């Protein structure tokens, strides 16, 4: 297992720290954007919430969010993706 972790670290195409956009699609429910922002801030305290981009779907039932963070490590990104996927209104995280 330790060898596998080292392989993944060596094979990463990202050099940290790096600016990294994350797209989150979810059902347009009351606190969806607020909940996503809280999760992002938990992992990236330096994230500026004013930079979060929001795009409603054509019929208005879904909301697309883009947050661009200053990623410090692969582990940070993995933890952030895992937490975003636990939000009940999240449909997809890219």
């Amino acid at each position: 297992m330790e060898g596998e972790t080292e392989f993944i670290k060596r094979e990463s195409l990202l050099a940290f720290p790096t600016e990294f956009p994350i797209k989150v699609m979810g059902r347009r429910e009351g606190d969806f954007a607020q909940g996503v922002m809280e999760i992002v801030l938990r992992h990236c305290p330096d994230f500026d919430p004013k930079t979060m981009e929001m795009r409603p779907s054509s019929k208005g039932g879904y909301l697309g969010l883009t947050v661009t963070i200053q990623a410090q490590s692969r582990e940070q990104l993995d933890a952030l993706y895992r937490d975003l996927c636990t939000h009940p209104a999240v449909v997809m995280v890219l």
Side-chain angles (χ1 to χ4, degrees):
M1 186 72 152
E2 188 174 321
E4 182 177 316
T5 302
E6 280 302 311
F7 174 76
I8 291 170
K9 285 181 184 176
R10 281 194 311 255
E11 293 298 311
S12 178
L13 299 176
L14 298 174
F16 295 98
T18 188
E19 200 170 271
F20 195 86
I22 299 171
K23 296 187 184 292
V24 184
M25 292 289 296
R27 289 180 293 284
R28 195 169 188 174
E29 297 175 353
D31 68 342
F32 171 64
Q34 180 68 30
V36 168
M37 185 172 45
E38 289 171 4
I39 293 169
V40 171
L41 285 169
R42 197 166 39 235
H43 292 274
C44 311
D46 60 339
F47 173 70
D48 181 1
K50 292 180 287 196
T51 65
M52 182 166 60
E53 298 173 30
M54 295 187 226
R55 283 174 305 288
S57 65
S58 60
K59 294 184 181 179
Y62 293 90
L63 186 62
L65 305 174
T66 301
V67 295
T68 301
I69 64 164
Q70 188 66 26
Q72 302 299 317
S73 69
R74 174 68 186 251
E75 292 79 14
Q76 177 194 31
L77 286 174
D78 290 345
L80 176 54
Y81 271 85
R82 276 192 303 274
D83 278 1
L84 286 169
C85 288
T86 65
H87 190 288
V90 169
V91 174
M92 183 184 326
V93 181
L94 302 170

